[in-house]
Amino acid sequence: MDDLLAARALMGVSLAFHIVYATIGIGLPLLLMLAEGLSLKTGEEEWHEIARSWIRPAGVLFAIGAVSGTILSFELGLLWPKLMVFAGPMVGLAFSMEGFAFFTEAIFLALYSYGERRLSRRAQFLCTIPLVLASAISAVFVISANGWMNTPGGFRMVNGVASDIRPLIAFANQAWPHQAVHGTFAAYVATGFAVAGFYAADLLRGRKTSQVKRALTLSLAVGTLSLPLMLMSGDWAAEALAENQKAKLAAAEAHFKTVAAAPLIIGGWPDPETGAVRYAIKIPKLLSYLANGDANSVVQGLDAFPQGSTPDPRIVHPFFDLMVGSFFVMAAAAGWFWWLRWRQKEVTLKRGALVLVLIAAPFGMIALESGWMVTEFGRQPWIIQGYLRTSEAVTPNGGLLFIFATFLFVYLALSVGILKLLLRQQGRVEGGKEVLHG
């Protein structure tokens, strides 16, 4: 592993772990707000108890997300100095505004967490509203910086130097709107299904309490309602790729040759040597229709771009298929659960449906991580699309393999510790009596 690969691996591992913490940090406040809102509306104490049971994981994951985000900020400067020299004036606004959103989130999380005895129920509910908004806005600002790397703008190149810099135009780049909307809904889907999986496991273990049933219903409702919104925003993102990031779309679809009436390729293994996709399912003309709204339109393939300037479809295409496939796993589990919920007029206790929810629980995170892989690998070999290659941006300093191995060990140990902390038995108030549950 050379220094370039080590730097990319370290950045990738750091982001992959941070995305999990950040995602739950976006989705869990929404669950808190809804549970507290239901408590106020119905006057039922149990909804408030459910919300309070989520404070501990919310606080732990917020703290770990803050630490992992700080590590990432250092890695940007230490591993990719030329990136920051070039991009700093354009993406600095987004990162600065993210800091304000982060501190707002921290303030209201603290007020909600420690205000149980000092704030009224209405005040506690009101604290969750800016918490939800700040957590989502924080992610939106960060996504702006990533979107700019995919569709850079807000400057002119004069003699090889970025000039006439306009930060607001750079902030509102072409990729930002669809990435921000799609990423936010994906976070709600991932959190909703992940939390639902924990309560489905509780029911399968025989803990068939009203609190567990309500928590499962609320979390899965958030995940289910966000699914079609994630799908629609994903379609918007695909249309934007067809217009602004044609090479990424070609790699994601394993589309080697520029042709009219291009088929949609599902699955298979791309072979760059032959330009074929082995063992794939092809749906005639569908890619042309999805990309351009015309089944007979021309879709550019990887052959339309200079050699060495396009992503590797052997990486991008499988992750794209995994992202799309994850949607159908979650949709099937949610559809079966709600069908039984509608027929039985209560939360189903049928083992098959609960097992299906448990199986689908990690697929929100899998879809989100896969989508990030498509976004990042789909931009290679560029770190700033069309302007700066990844190989040109990496630090000239050596020894990165050792640093990568060290951080990988730290992240793995940290994740094991977090899981043990969140999964170990903890007290919950139920019926006025403290009980232990998994």
Side-chain angles (χ1 to χ4, degrees):
M1 183 182 292
D2 59 20
D3 286 335
L4 173 60
L5 184 55
R8 291 181 62 188
L10 175 55
M11 196 75 189
V13 167
S14 299
L15 278 166
F17 279 97
H18 178 70
I19 283 173
V20 175
Y21 311 138
T23 295
I24 300 178
I26 296 169
L28 204 52
L30 178 62
L31 294 179
L32 288 171
M33 183 187 74
L34 293 174
E36 290 289 3
L38 287 169
S39 178
L40 277 180
K41 182 178 180 180
T42 64
E44 296 179 2
E45 183 71 12
E46 198 168 54
W47 285 115
H48 177 68
E49 293 173 2
I50 290 172
R52 300 303 295 184
S53 73
W54 290 332
I55 290 178
R56 185 180 185 182
V60 170
L61 291 167
F62 177 83
I64 298 300
V67 172
S68 60
T70 302
I71 292 173
L72 279 168
S73 67
F74 280 106
E75 287 180 353
L76 281 171
L78 294 174
L79 298 178
W80 312 103
K82 291 184 180 179
L83 165 67
M84 299 313 295
V85 169
F86 189 109
M90 273 73 79
V91 301
L93 174 64
F95 282 124
S96 298
M97 296 306 295
E98 191 274 339
F100 285 103
F102 171 81
F103 285 117
T104 302
E105 181 183 0
I107 289 168
F108 283 97
L109 179 61
L111 287 172
Y112 176 74
S113 300
Y114 300 108
E116 173 75 4
R117 297 181 180 179
R118 296 180 178 272
L119 299 177
S120 66
R121 290 291 176 81
R122 186 173 297 277
Q124 289 181 65
F125 167 70
L126 292 175
C127 283
T128 64
I129 296 175
L131 180 58
V132 171
L133 295 176
S135 60
I137 291 172
S138 178
V140 164
F141 285 137
V142 172
I143 290 172
S144 169
N146 182 266
W148 181 86
M149 294 165 69
N150 290 314
T151 55
F155 66 97
R156 292 187 305 110
M157 293 298 293
V158 179
N159 297 325
V161 177
S163 305
D164 191 20
I165 295 170
R166 289 166 287 179
L168 290 177
I169 294 178
F171 178 87
N173 57 80
Q174 292 174 322
W176 171 60
H178 65 79
Q179 282 192 206
V181 173
H182 188 57
T184 302
F185 286 129
Y188 293 148
V189 168
T191 304
F193 274 87
V195 174
F198 280 105
Y199 290 105
D202 262 357
L203 289 175
L204 288 168
R205 287 197 296 264
R207 190 167 179 273
K208 301 173 183 179
T209 66
S210 172
Q211 192 177 84
V212 170
K213 292 178 182 179
R214 287 185 172 190
L216 171 60
T217 302
L218 176 60
S219 56
L220 192 58
V222 169
T224 304
L225 292 174
S226 300
L227 265 180
L229 299 174
M230 184 181 72
L231 178 65
M232 290 186 288
S233 61
D235 180 66
W236 176 23
E239 292 177 357
L241 288 184
E243 182 178 353
N244 302 315
Q245 301 178 68
K246 299 180 186 297
K248 181 182 289 187
L249 178 66
E253 299 289 355
H255 185 52
F256 286 99
K257 298 179 181 179
T258 302
V259 295
L264 181 70
I265 299 174
I266 301 174
W269 180 251
D271 184 357
E273 295 295 328
T274 62
V277 185
R278 301 173 184 174
Y279 319 115
I281 299 172
K282 297 184 178 181
I283 303 178
K285 299 186 178 184
L286 186 56
L287 179 58
S288 289
Y289 179 77
L290 292 175
N292 303 314
D294 181 356
N296 295 308
S297 64
V298 174
V299 177
Q300 287 185 325
L302 293 171
D303 63 347
F305 304 93
Q307 189 173 6
S309 67
T310 58
D312 188 343
R314 293 172 297 182
I315 300 176
V316 183
H317 179 64
F319 277 118
F320 182 77
D321 282 346
L322 180 58
M323 177 185 67
V324 176
S326 297
F327 168 85
F328 290 101
V329 173
M330 292 183 287
W336 183 240
F337 176 88
W338 291 114
W339 167 251
L340 293 176
R341 176 73 172 78
W342 176 74
R343 289 191 62 185
Q344 298 175 8
K345 310 301 182 185
E346 64 177 0
V347 174
T348 182
L349 297 178
K350 288 191 174 181
R351 183 174 181 83
L354 295 176
V355 168
L356 196 55
V357 171
L358 185 59
I359 292 173
F363 276 91
M365 288 295 178
I366 291 172
L368 199 143
E369 293 276 12
S370 300
W372 172 74
M373 295 290 185
V374 172
T375 298
E376 295 305 295
F377 282 114
R379 192 178 59 246
Q380 299 302 317
W382 304 96
I383 195 167
I384 301 176
Q385 182 67 45
Y387 290 94
L388 182 65
R389 288 178 177 261
T390 308
S391 58
E392 299 169 343
V394 70
T395 177
N397 298 318
L400 297 182
L401 178 57
F402 172 75
I403 298 174
F404 164 66
T406 302
F407 270 85
L408 179 59
F409 173 78
V410 170
Y411 276 119
L412 289 174
L414 185 64
S415 296
V416 171
I418 293 171
L419 285 174
K420 290 181 69 174
L421 178 65
L422 296 180
L423 293 176
R424 75 181 183 181
Q425 290 186 338
Q426 57 182 315
R428 175 184 287 178
V429 177
E430 183 175 291
K433 181 179 179 180
E434 188 174 8
V435 297
L436 294 177
H437 73 283

